[in-house]
Amino acid sequence: MTINLTGRWLLLLGTLAALLWIVGCPEEEDDDDASDDDTSDDDTSDDDTGDDDTGDDDTGDDDTGDDDLDPSEAIGKTYLLDLGGGGFQYTPDVGGALGILLPDDQGVAFSATAIDDGAGTIDLLIGSVIVEDPKLDPSKWIWVQSSANTTTTDGNWYNPGFDGGPTDIAMDFQGAPIWLSQLTFGGEYAADFSQIGNTELEGLVDLAGFDEMLNFNPGTICGMLSATQIFCETCPKGSPHAGGDYCLYLVATGGTCPLVEGVELVPVK
């Protein structure tokens, strides 16, 4: 049988892209201290000698609390990891096809279940959401939690930012078991909680699960990737294919996680 390599490659990119819906986000550094306020316009002009540092910022609103959010308002809010349209940058560079290949009507989502502002901790649920009727106009879409496994993890809270993990996640993607390992993720809540920005994730994905879904022998996808100088590594303990060279290290940065209205994740096993 002749294999259409172009079609197989596009399908591979699609499955890798779908995997990258798995949530995530370590916190990016604050732009204020290193650029705008301290070393750029504000501290050398506006802030130190003008309004902000003698008024609003250092002794008033910003530095004493207005930049901080009320963490209770984040509890129960669900956010979609919008890797297709969120402006993410990827390592390895498979991101170019994501906007075309990723479905708009499904994806992985996450939600904070507890935040301790004083202790600097956060508890998170990670699951997936789907659109009830994707044939409707997107403006009328109703999102619901899917029946896929929903796992928990904890992390650090840096009001208004956070990072979570590392954690292992087992997902069922189109009937194939997909395993993600050693994931860390995080971001920064917007002031109105409408989105989470500056999002990042990194971790390992066991690509042998995708081989199974495509009826390939284990290692086929990794072999295809090696032809482009992208190499898999040994899967860690706990992976369904531990010890095999089927795991790919991925990083996604700089994206946005929009709020999913009307969905509150609950644990699913």
Side-chain angles (χ1 to χ4, degrees):
M1 179 178 67
T2 301
I3 296 177
N4 184 330
L5 290 179
T6 299
R8 289 295 193 186
W9 184 250
L10 288 175
L11 182 56
L12 167 62
L13 286 177
T15 54
L16 286 176
L19 165 70
L20 284 171
W21 283 95
I22 299 302
V23 21
C25 332
E27 182 200 27
E28 287 199 350
E29 295 181 0
D30 188 355
D31 289 340
D32 289 345
D33 288 341
S35 59
D36 294 341
D37 287 346
D38 291 339
T39 61
S40 186
D41 294 339
D42 290 345
D43 279 358
T44 58
S45 58
D46 295 340
D47 284 352
D48 288 341
T49 61
D51 295 339
D52 289 335
D53 279 355
T54 58
D56 294 340
D57 282 353
D58 289 343
T59 61
D61 295 340
D62 291 343
D63 287 350
T64 57
D66 277 358
D67 285 344
D68 291 347
L69 304 179
D70 179 356
S72 66
E73 294 189 39
I75 305 303
K77 287 183 170 63
T78 298
Y79 296 86
L80 179 69
L81 189 60
D82 186 16
L83 290 173
F88 280 85
Q89 303 297 315
Y90 297 92
T91 303
D93 186 17
V94 298
L98 292 184
I100 298 173
L101 298 174
L102 272 174
D104 294 327
D105 58 1
Q106 60 183 309
V108 171
F110 62 97
S111 177
T113 59
I115 298 175
D116 188 324
D117 209 26
T121 59
I122 187 171
D123 296 330
L124 295 154
L125 273 176
I126 308 170
S128 60
V129 291
I130 59 174
V131 173
E132 282 189 330
D133 187 357
K135 295 180 180 179
L136 294 175
D137 185 280
S139 65
K140 299 179 180 179
W141 278 358
I142 298 175
W143 292 87
V144 296
Q145 183 176 359
S146 77
S147 60
N149 178 56
T150 303
T151 188
T152 60
T153 190
D154 56 17
N156 301 303
W157 171 249
Y158 314 100
N159 195 331
F162 70 95
D163 59 57
T167 186
D168 294 341
I169 301 174
M171 300 293 293
D172 181 38
F173 180 71
Q174 296 184 5
I178 304 301
W179 185 269
L180 295 103
S181 182
Q182 302 173 7
L183 287 181
T184 59
F185 54 93
E188 187 173 288
Y189 284 90
D192 61 358
F193 295 95
S194 62
Q195 65 181 28
I196 293 175
N198 299 323
T199 52
E200 299 182 358
L201 72 85
E202 64 179 297
L204 293 168
V205 54
D206 183 348
L207 294 184
F210 288 105
D211 285 325
E212 294 173 6
M213 184 183 70
L214 298 170
N215 294 317
F216 291 159
N217 293 324
T220 299
I221 292 177
C222 286
M224 295 171 69
L225 290 173
S226 68
T228 64
Q229 301 302 305
I230 297 171
F231 299 100
C232 294
E233 56 188 80
T234 303
C235 293
K237 182 178 179 181
S239 168
H241 304 94
D245 293 333
Y246 310 134
C247 281
L248 183 67
Y249 176 69
L250 295 174
V251 175
T253 63
T256 300
C257 301
L259 178 67
V260 182
E261 298 283 359
V263 176
E264 184 171 352
L265 296 179
V266 296
V268 176
K269 294 184 179 181

